[in-house]
Amino acid sequence: MSESTSRRVHVIGAGIVGSCTAWWMRRAGFDVTLIEKNVPGEGASLGNAGSIGLGSVPPLGMPGMAWKAAGMFLDPMHPLTARLSHLPKSIPWFIRFAMATKRSRVESISDARANLLAHAGDALADLLHQIGHSEMVEPRGLIHTYENKDKLAKGMYAVELRRKRGIRVEVKTGDELREMEPALSDNVVGGMWYPDVQDCINPMRMTKLISEAFVAAGGKLMTAEVKGFNLGAEGPTGIITDQGTLPCDLVVIAAGAWSRKFASELGCDVPLASERGYHIMITDPGTLPKIHLSSNDRFIAISPMEHGLRMSSMSEFAAIDAKPNHERAFRIIKEATNIVRGLKLDVASRWVGSRPSMPDSLPVIGFSPAFRNVLFGFGHGHIGLTLGAVTGRILSQLAAGATPNIDISAYRPDRDFTGGHLPPSPHA
Ligand SMILES: Cc1cc2nc3c(=O)[nH]c(=O)nc-3n(C[C@H](O)[C@H](O)[C@H](O)COP(=O)(O)OP(=O)(O)OC[C@H]3O[C@@H](n4cnc5c(N)ncnc54)[C@H](O)[C@@H]3O)c2cc1C
């Protein structure tokens, strides 16, 4: 064991990011405790659409979107919404989001996302192989569907963003898509096929398996709620939990949408928002598509999983613990019957959870600017399931004093949210 790996590491949060981080750090030889207030994998990592979105290069904020957002908020059937009571709190986030939709920034942000995504598949495959659970991810590809030709034409900019960064995309007619996926209805006029996108067959089970493998490898899983820190001149010396105070050498904040207050206490106020998504599970859908579908007209993901069909949607800016509006979510999600023929909507379960979202669609990965014994790994927004393994691998390299094999300057916590830190894109 090297001097650095003899340090005690405490990882806060056992979602996909924290579980992967704990596992990589344990594998590197650290003495690791993973602290989770609930059950591992039951945060946002429980309910996502399960896409290992290796082609998810375009950010959430695309050119022109800032202007459209106001209209979207007023439309009761639009998946993008904000709770009125939460709006004043959200305004600084939306100002930064609007700034990130400038075309030159969209290009630079796409470079930074592509930079991580290029290593994401390999990191996850490596981790799953080492824990003996490669079966959790299947190479099924992804179809983006359109029922509207104008919207399909507008979607071509996102296709170009991907292609310029090496992502394989094929633009298909409705009939060509129906040949690949006979469950698609005649309403679909065309779309895109992403052959390299993969599927997790059950995101919560995968997260649990990773945290169990961490424990089997000698890591400690502690059920406790972190309340704050004892701070010394050099950084935190103790983690205050509802089970007592734990002496610490190195702390990793991987608490998803809950991370902001910890980051702020540990040296950096980051503009992290809770962007809530909803899903329904259907165990007997009548028709089970074999390929993961995502309607780009309606912002609905239709994900075949090992335990049924999951349909998810919504970007609801609201407090993490605000009362869910399942009725509104269902009104939007049930529109999936326009995309999949013969779909039955006997809902087996409903879920809401918070994506940890940054206004520039880039995660926060790296040391706190204030303390060398604090690492941040959160803010993965719509692609945390995809990026959890690669984030954990980077954090374990940083903890060991190594230089990560990926340039991580774009993800630093104290970055300039007007974009000054990002180099101009060679693809612009
Ligand atoms: C509807 C929907 C669909 C999505 N689809 C996809 C997709 O297809 N592909 C993809 O890549 N991503 C997708 N995402 C995004 C993805 O789910 C998230 O980015 C990811 O799960 C974030 O993981 P995390 O580990 O950072 O956070 P979480 O999974 O939320 O984990 C954070 C953990 O920290 C714990 N915690 C918080 N506070 C404390 C405390 N004080 N003490 C102890 N523990 C604490 C929480 O209990 C929780 O378990 C989707 C998200 C949603 C909502």
Side-chain angles (χ1 to χ4, degrees):
M1 191 186 288
S2 72
E3 197 185 325
S4 64
T5 56
S6 65
R7 285 192 296 172
R8 282 165 305 189
V9 180
H10 290 84
V11 179
I12 301 173
I16 188 67
V17 177
S19 299
C20 289
T21 302
W23 188 84
W24 284 113
M25 293 219 180
R26 181 65 207 130
R27 184 175 167 276
F30 287 99
D31 172 2
V32 188
T33 303
L34 177 58
I35 310 175
E36 170 56 53
K37 63 178 174 175
N38 293 320
V39 175
E42 292 200 351
S45 303
L46 184 159
N48 57 63
S51 179
I52 306 302
L54 302 176
S56 297
V57 161
L60 181 64
M62 293 287 273
M65 192 168 160
W67 296 108
K68 286 189 218 138
M72 292 174 183
F73 282 143
L74 297 174
D75 177 354
M77 282 303 281
H78 204 283
L80 179 65
T81 182
R83 293 284 172 94
L84 267 183
S85 55
H86 198 64
L87 259 184
K89 251 189 163 176
S90 307
I91 284 170
W93 191 95
F94 278 108
I95 291 172
R96 291 171 167 109
F97 174 78
M99 290 165 107
T101 61
K102 214 171 121 193
R103 192 170 279 252
S104 58
R105 283 204 66 200
V106 167
E107 295 284 343
S108 301
I109 290 168
S110 298
D111 291 339
R113 284 168 68 94
N115 179 38
L116 264 185
L117 286 164
H119 299 269
D122 156 60
L124 181 59
D126 187 5
L127 191 162
L128 290 176
H129 174 71
Q130 292 198 45
I131 68 169
H133 285 292
S134 301
E135 79 286 356
M136 292 309 296
V137 169
E138 291 187 0
R140 295 193 204 136
L142 167 74
I143 292 176
H144 276 174
T145 66
Y146 286 86
E147 295 152 73
N148 176 308
K149 284 200 165 147
D150 291 341
K151 287 188 180 165
L152 173 59
K154 286 188 186 132
M156 292 311 292
Y157 176 57
V159 169
E160 286 314 308
L161 282 176
R162 290 174 163 103
R163 281 190 175 147
K164 283 186 197 160
R165 290 157 185 89
I167 306 295
R168 289 200 296 156
V169 191
E170 294 168 29
V171 180
K172 303 263 189 199
T173 64
D175 286 339
E176 285 169 338
L177 291 177
R178 272 180 289 280
E179 250 177 57
M180 298 172 67
E181 175 50 80
L184 282 177
S185 81
D186 292 337
N187 296 329
V188 174
V189 295
M192 292 89 178
W193 163 240
Y194 301 92
D196 301 322
V197 170
Q198 303 168 0
D199 269 336
C200 171
I201 58 172
N202 184 336
M204 179 175 143
R205 193 159 77 81
M206 183 168 88
T207 307
K208 277 208 158 86
L209 286 169
I210 295 168
S211 63
E212 282 165 16
F214 157 74
V215 172
K220 292 182 266 301
L221 177 64
M222 179 177 181
T223 306
E225 180 167 357
V226 173
K227 301 286 191 188
F229 304 92
N230 287 333
L231 281 182
E234 305 289 317
T237 54
I239 302 173
I240 304 164
T241 79
D242 59 357
Q243 306 294 315
T245 299
L246 314 168
C248 63
D249 299 327
L250 178 65
V251 178
V252 183
I253 305 300
W258 292 265
S259 299
R260 185 172 186 166
K261 75 176 164 82
F262 298 138
S264 168
E265 208 179 319
L266 296 177
C268 196
D269 187 26
V270 286
L272 177 71
S274 139
E275 183 193 346
R276 304 202 311 175
Y278 290 71
H279 84 219
I280 58 172
M281 283 300 297
I282 302 178
T283 41
D284 180 16
T287 312
L288 188 64
K290 58 181 194 300
I291 301 177
H292 191 129
L293 307 171
S294 178
S295 160
N296 272 19
D297 306 292
R298 301 180 187 274
F299 305 102
I300 304 169
I302 303 168
S303 324
M305 293 192 174
E306 65 176 1
H307 50 315
L309 187 64
R310 174 168 294 175
M311 291 192 281
S312 48
S313 184
M314 300 281 287
S315 288
E316 181 189 48
F317 289 84
I320 299 179
D321 53 358
K323 193 167 172 266
N325 189 344
H326 286 294
E327 290 68 32
R328 186 183 202 276
F330 185 68
R331 276 205 306 279
I332 290 166
I333 292 173
K334 80 170 190 227
E335 297 293 311
T337 50
N338 290 292
I339 306 156
V340 175
R341 59 177 89 226
L343 187 61
K344 287 197 290 176
L345 293 182
D346 298 333
V347 179
S349 62
R350 313 184 291 180
W351 174 87
V352 62
S354 286
R355 300 177 188 92
S357 292
M358 300 296 291
D360 57 1
S361 299
L362 293 174
V364 172
I365 304 172
F367 282 105
S368 157
F371 302 122
R372 292 300 287 179
N373 68 345
V374 176
L375 281 163
F376 294 150
F378 56 81
H380 296 75
H382 289 235
I383 53 172
L385 186 74
T386 308
L387 296 180
V390 70
T391 300
R393 193 166 71 181
I394 293 170
L395 292 175
S396 76
Q397 290 164 343
L398 290 171
T403 305
N405 56 335
I406 302 171
D407 174 10
I408 59 164
S409 52
Y411 325 118
R412 60 174 210 252
D414 58 346
R415 60 187 179 250
D416 169 8
F417 283 92
T418 63
H421 71 296
L422 290 172
S425 172
H427 303 293

